[in-house]
Amino acid sequence: MEDSRLGSLLGIGKEAEVFAFGDGAAKLFRHPEAKAAAFREAATMAMVEQMGLPLPRVRGVEQIAGRWAVVMDRAAGPTLAERMRDSAAVPECIELMVLLHQRIHSFPATRFSSLKSRLARNIGSAPALDPAHRDRLLGGLAEMPDGNRLCH
């Protein structure tokens, strides 16, 4: 990647990679056309920040090395993955993740668009799915209850 501001790789996800970026971090989306996804992520993070949940403060959205990125604060200290390299720390780290997710799911998500609707749109437009599989997935999704909780 051609941007001297990018530091070490901090994490890898399905849609993006997170790099050190000065004293902060930058989440770079893999697909160059992910501008809307980057702004949506930044807006969601800003709304969740107002709820008082512990997450990085968004600094902005910009193009870095030809990719759209959310630039944010970076937490000090080792990541959970780094801490879990010590097998004695694994139970504590798992407990922290469980407690954090319980806290996240305790908040109402009335300010956010429906996850169920977004999943239905994504399934309906997935080119790799054959029609029968698509129908099964959409049918299963339709049977699920509508929720009103924040979901990570």
Side-chain angles (χ1 to χ4, degrees), residues 59-137:
R59 296 179 180 180
V61 175
E62 63 180 273
Q63 275 193 300
I64 299 171
R67 293 163 61 181
W68 284 99
V70 177
V71 179
M72 63 194 86
D73 288 346
R74 182 170 153 198
T79 65
L80 278 177
E82 290 167 341
R83 289 179 56 196
M84 289 174 65
R85 289 188 184 125
D86 173 6
S87 59
V90 169
E92 177 189 352
C93 291
I94 291 172
E95 180 68 18
L96 282 170
M97 287 301 294
V98 168
L99 292 172
L100 178 59
H101 280 83
Q102 285 176 332
R103 184 171 172 201
I104 290 169
H105 298 294
S106 74
F107 283 84
T110 54
R111 299 169 62 187
F112 301 93
S113 61
S114 166
L115 176 59
K116 190 173 172 181
S117 296
R118 185 166 43 113
L119 290 173
R121 282 192 308 275
N122 290 348
I123 292 167
S125 65
L129 290 176
D130 65 78
H133 193 190
R134 179 177 291 117
D135 290 346
R136 280 193 306 277
L137 290 171

Side-chain angles (χ1 to χ4, degrees), residues 5-20:
R5 299 174 297 166
L6 287 175
S8 61
L9 179 66
L10 301 175
I12 300 173
K14 187 181 95 179
E15 304 285 331
E17 299 162 316
V18 179
F19 292 88

Side-chain angles (χ1 to χ4, degrees), residues 5-54:
R5 299 174 297 166
L6 287 175
S8 61
L9 179 66
L10 301 175
I12 300 173
K14 187 181 95 179
E15 304 285 331
E17 299 162 316
V18 179
F19 292 88
F21 192 71
D23 66 343
K27 179 177 183 176
L28 274 68
F29 288 80
R30 283 195 174 80
H31 300 288
E33 67 279 0
K35 181 178 184 178
F39 276 94
R40 192 170 35 254
E41 174 102 3
T44 298
M45 289 177 70
M47 287 188 292
V48 172
E49 179 185 347
Q50 290 176 343
M51 298 170 135
L53 285 166

